[in-house]
Amino acid sequence: MPGRNPITPLEKWRVVALLGAVLTVAISPAPKARAGIGTIEAHIVKLRSNHGQVICTLFTPADGFPDQSRKGMTMAVPIANRQATCSFKNVRYGNYAIVAFHDENHDGEFNQNWLGMPKEGFGFSDNPGTLRKPAFNDAKFKVSQPVVQVTIKLNYWF
């Protein structure tokens, strides 16, 4: 045909490469979920009111459970119907523990009286007793699947 330029070998190669890439993507299996990464859904129950917020902190075995954790592993969530849910996403498979408390006055602090007794509700994953400070192993749970559900029952001393 007059006025039409012939396709060069380089242009043919580019078209073939593009078609090959499109076909490879089209017939490849769907991408798998990242192995070893999950989400923790911590359901906090037995709150005595809807006032304030719930603060949850996620701990690894290397953290100073239950007092010190790495930055970014603490979140505050709203309360509805006297319960709350803290969702920790993109968590590597392994052992964890959670501390949660009911920040009733919304000051971001776990309030205690002058004797060090808790003035706000608190709880731990795996719900160990509250007469002594639990060790990590008392509250640990394992993340070994894409979604792990944990229920934490709060305790109030006053």
Side-chain angles (χ1 to χ4, degrees):
M1 278 172 68
R4 188 160 185 185
N5 295 332
I7 297 176
T8 66
L10 180 59
E11 290 172 327
K12 284 182 185 178
W13 182 86
R14 285 182 179 161
V15 169
V16 169
L18 179 62
L19 286 173
V22 168
L23 285 174
T24 300
V25 170
I27 62 174
S28 294
K32 295 179 182 175
R34 290 190 294 172
I37 302 291
T39 297
I40 301 168
E41 296 286 334
H43 304 286
I44 317 306
V45 298
K46 295 200 170 189
L47 281 86
R48 68 177 165 199
S49 73
N50 288 322
H51 298 292
Q53 62 187 350
V54 169
I55 297 180
C56 298
T57 302
L58 181 67
F59 290 84
T60 67
D63 296 327
F65 180 86
D67 302 314
Q68 303 166 356
S69 69
R70 291 175 287 141
K71 187 176 181 180
M73 299 306 279
T74 297
M75 68 175 61
V77 296
I79 299 167
N81 299 318
R82 295 176 40 178
Q83 56 190 356
T85 300
C86 296
S87 296
F88 295 95
K89 299 181 185 310
N90 299 315
V91 176
R92 292 179 190 223
Y93 284 7
N95 291 321
Y96 294 91
I98 297 174
V99 174
F101 73 92
H102 183 184
D103 181 19
E104 287 184 274
N105 61 359
H106 216 282
D107 68 352
E109 300 288 328
F110 181 57
N111 301 128
Q112 302 171 33
N113 67 16
W114 63 276
L115 292 172
M117 305 291 268
K119 292 170 72 176
E120 297 177 307
F122 65 97
F124 308 94
S125 49
D126 207 30
N127 299 297
T130 60
L131 294 180
R132 66 172 177 82
K133 188 185 291 189
F136 182 86
N137 285 337
D138 297 329
K140 80 175 179 183
F141 61 93
K142 186 174 192 132
V143 175
S144 60
Q145 56 192 16
V147 178
V148 174
Q149 306 283 330
V150 176
T151 301
I152 299 173
K153 298 173 188 169
L154 292 193
N155 303 282
Y156 294 86
W157 284 9
F158 298 101

